[in-house]
């Protein structure tokens, strides 16, 4: 598991170090550390770095330390370690208040504690954990993306030690702008990753995740409320980075090898979330809630679906093309509004007599009666097939 600010307190070489502020930020991951002696140097900080400050340059200048706390928080630093006893006597209440308001951990490192030993032990720990995380990530990629024939040979203990739950499901998060404007977002990538990491740590249960281009793949336990997590991630990505996101959730499995199946389900659900009229306000679709679309996805050959869709909707589509009419759209909205005449007219900005005329013409064109439940069901299924085929064709 990644090294956090809370772990920093458990270093053998850090005996005597005390937390002075920012308790809520103890879950921040420490990606590395950086020594900063002037406020102007904070601009070189990377997200997730632990800042060490001896005070050689700023001494006991309280205002500069407060400013440093704010700028470190803005750059999503992991925390700040202040070396007290020589250049900085104490950590003032104002510095503590500023750090607490920003959930920025402030550690008091007495001058008597050997700073070099602390950074050496911390660095070794980070490198070790990073190597294990990479190995675990490579194993997960092997499971998700490789075509596996025969028994799956992986180090399951490594995955479980990294927080893989017994009952697991995959949440796929697509962030389209990261692909469209990749160059623009490269400078933000570390900040986005750090923000995601902090959100996931706040969940409580460990969450394994990895990036695949503009896709964020999360492995969740059943104890995690996926709907709430989706809401938090979507809000944070939009408010902090102005990024839109779409979410798809696969089904739960126990066998590690079935992660691939859950991932494929999550990907399909995520594509459905991007499609019109199929998502909730959070652009989130769970595979198990997709109804008839699951049947379509399980079909190896879509030729039968294409034929069915063409037989039901083809005559209307052809009529619209020849007469520059909008009968197909009218029918789609009428069904979406659960055959509510008032709601349909309001949405189409037409008179109810116009709607009645169009529905009558649709019956004549298709030789199907809207009064028959079977006909209406045919139309509904055909529209779902049409949407599904659009997704399939777009992926080719």
């Amino acid at each position: 598991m990644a090294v956090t600010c809370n772990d920093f307190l458990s270093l053998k070489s850090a005996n005597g170090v005390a937390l002075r502020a920012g308790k809520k930020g103890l879950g921040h991951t420490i990606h590395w550390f950086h020594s900063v002696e002037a406020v102007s140097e904070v601009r070189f900080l990377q997200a997730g770095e632990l800042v060490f400050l001896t005070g050689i340059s700023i001494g006991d200048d309280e205002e500069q330390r407060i400013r440093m706390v704010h700028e470190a928080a803005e750059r999503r630093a992991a925390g700040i370690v202040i070396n007290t006893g020589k250049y900085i006597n104490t950590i003032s209440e104002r510095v503590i208040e500023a750090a607490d308001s920003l959930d920025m951990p402030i550690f008091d490192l007495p001058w008597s504690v050997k700073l070099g030993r602390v950074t050496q032990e911390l660095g070794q720990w980070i490198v070790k954990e990073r190597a294990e995380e990479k190995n675990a990530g490579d194993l997960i990629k092997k499971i998700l993306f490789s075509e596996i024939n025969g028994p799956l040979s992986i180090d399951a203990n490594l995955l479980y030690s990294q927080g893989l739950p017994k009952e697991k499901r995959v949440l796929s998060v697509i962030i389209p702008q990261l692909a469209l404007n990749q160059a623009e977002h490269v400078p933000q990538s570390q900040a986005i990753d750090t923000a995601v990491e902090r959100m996931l740590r706040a969940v409580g249960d460990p969450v394994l995740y990895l990036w695949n281009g503009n896709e964020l793949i999360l492995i969740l336990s059943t104890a995690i409320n996926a709907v709430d997590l989706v809401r938090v991630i979507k809000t944070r990505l939009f408010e902090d980075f102005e990024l839109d996101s779409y979410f798809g959730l696969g089904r739960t499995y126990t066998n590690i090898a079935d992660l691939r199946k859950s991932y494929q389900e999550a990907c399909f659900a995520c594509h459905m979330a991007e499609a019109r009229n199929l998502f909730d306000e959070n652009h989130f679709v769970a595979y198990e809630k997709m109804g008839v679309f699951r049947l379509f996805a399980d079909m190896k050959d879509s030729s039968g679906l294409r034929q069915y869709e063409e037989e039901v909707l083809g005559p209307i589509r052809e009529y619209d093309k020849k007469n520059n009419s909008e009968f197909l759209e009218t029918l789609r909205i009428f069904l979406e509004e659960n055959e509510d005449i008032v709601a349909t007219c309001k949405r189409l900005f037409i008179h109810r007599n116009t709607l009645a005329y169009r529905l009558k013409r649709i019956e004549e064109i298709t030789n199907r009666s809207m009064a028959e439940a079977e006909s209406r069901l045919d139309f509904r299924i055909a529209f779902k097939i049409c949407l599904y085929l659009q997704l399939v064709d777009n992926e080719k």
Side-chain angles (χ1 to χ4, degrees), residues 35-39 41 52-61 64-65 68 81-89 111 115:
S35 179
V36 175
E37 295 303 341
V39 176
E41 297 174 5
F52 282 87
L53 173 65
T54 64
I56 294 175
S57 298
I58 64 176
D60 256 346
D61 190 326
Q64 290 221 53
R65 291 206 299 279
M68 185 172 288
V81 181
I82 299 180
N83 210 183
T84 59
K86 187 171 184 179
Y87 301 104
I88 299 176
N89 292 323
W111 198 264
L115 180 58

Side-chain angles (χ1 to χ4, degrees), residues 45-248:
L45 281 177
Q46 298 294 316
E49 287 189 328
L50 183 66
V51 181
F52 282 87
L53 173 65
T54 64
I56 294 175
S57 298
I58 64 176
D60 256 346
D61 190 326
E62 184 180 57
E63 294 301 327
Q64 290 221 53
R65 291 206 299 279
I66 292 174
R67 183 181 163 194
M68 185 172 288
V69 168
H70 282 275
E71 297 209 12
E74 184 178 335
R75 285 161 177 76
R76 289 184 171 83
I80 301 175
V81 181
I82 299 180
N83 210 183
T84 59
K86 187 171 184 179
Y87 301 104
I88 299 176
N89 292 323
T90 59
I91 301 173
S92 69
E93 287 300 320
R94 290 184 61 208
V95 171
I96 291 173
E97 289 175 4
D100 278 333
S101 68
L102 298 167
D103 295 337
M104 173 59 64
I106 297 287
F107 299 98
D108 185 340
L109 177 68
W111 198 264
S112 58
V113 177
K114 301 299 182 182
L115 180 58
R117 292 180 181 174
V118 172
T119 55
Q120 181 182 29
E121 185 181 356
L122 178 61
Q124 290 173 344
W125 193 356
I126 292 174
V127 169
K128 175 179 173 293
E129 292 298 331
R130 189 176 295 168
E132 290 187 359
E133 281 187 351
K134 182 181 183 303
N135 290 337
D138 290 343
L139 285 178
I140 292 173
K141 287 180 180 178
K142 178 180 178 181
I143 296 169
L144 298 184
F145 305 123
S146 300
E147 290 291 347
I148 300 170
N149 296 315
L152 179 64
S153 177
I154 60 171
D155 185 353
N157 289 332
L158 173 59
L159 293 180
Y160 285 120
S161 71
Q162 290 294 312
L164 183 71
K166 182 177 180 181
E167 293 186 322
K168 40 206 162 281
R169 53 201 172 148
V170 175
L171 177 68
S172 172
V173 185
I174 297 293
I175 308 172
Q177 290 145 289
L178 291 186
L180 295 174
N181 305 307
Q182 194 168 8
E184 176 186 342
H185 291 291
V186 165
Q188 290 183 292
S189 59
Q190 185 63 58
I192 294 171
D193 186 47
T194 299
V196 167
E197 199 167 37
R198 291 182 180 180
M199 280 186 277
L200 297 180
R201 285 201 173 274
V203 168
D205 284 32
V207 178
L208 289 178
Y209 76 96
L210 63 146
W211 289 92
N212 179 40
N214 69 329
E215 179 188 25
L216 174 63
I217 304 169
L218 304 98
I219 301 176
L220 310 180
S221 72
T222 54
I224 294 174
N225 187 313
V227 175
D228 290 344
L229 180 60
V230 164
R231 187 180 299 112
V232 170
I233 294 176
K234 183 169 186 61
T235 300
R236 183 63 57 82
L237 287 175
F238 186 78
E239 290 183 352
D240 290 4
F241 304 101
E242 297 184 352
L243 295 173
D244 294 319
S245 48
Y246 299 88
F247 303 80

Side-chain angles (χ1 to χ4, degrees), residues 2-69:
V3 179
T4 67
C5 284
N6 194 46
D7 294 326
F8 177 73
L9 290 170
S10 65
L11 291 174
K12 293 179 181 179
S13 57
N15 185 28
V17 174
L19 177 71
R20 297 299 183 205
K23 183 178 180 180
K24 291 182 180 180
L26 282 176
H28 292 174
T29 297
I30 303 174
H31 293 297
W32 199 243
F33 48 87
H34 193 95
S35 179
V36 175
E37 295 303 341
V39 176
S40 61
E41 297 174 5
V42 177
R43 69 180 186 274
F44 298 113
L45 281 177
Q46 298 294 316
E49 287 189 328
L50 183 66
V51 181
F52 282 87
L53 173 65
T54 64
I56 294 175
S57 298
I58 64 176
D60 256 346
D61 190 326
E62 184 180 57
E63 294 301 327
Q64 290 221 53
R65 291 206 299 279
I66 292 174
R67 183 181 163 194
M68 185 172 288
V69 168

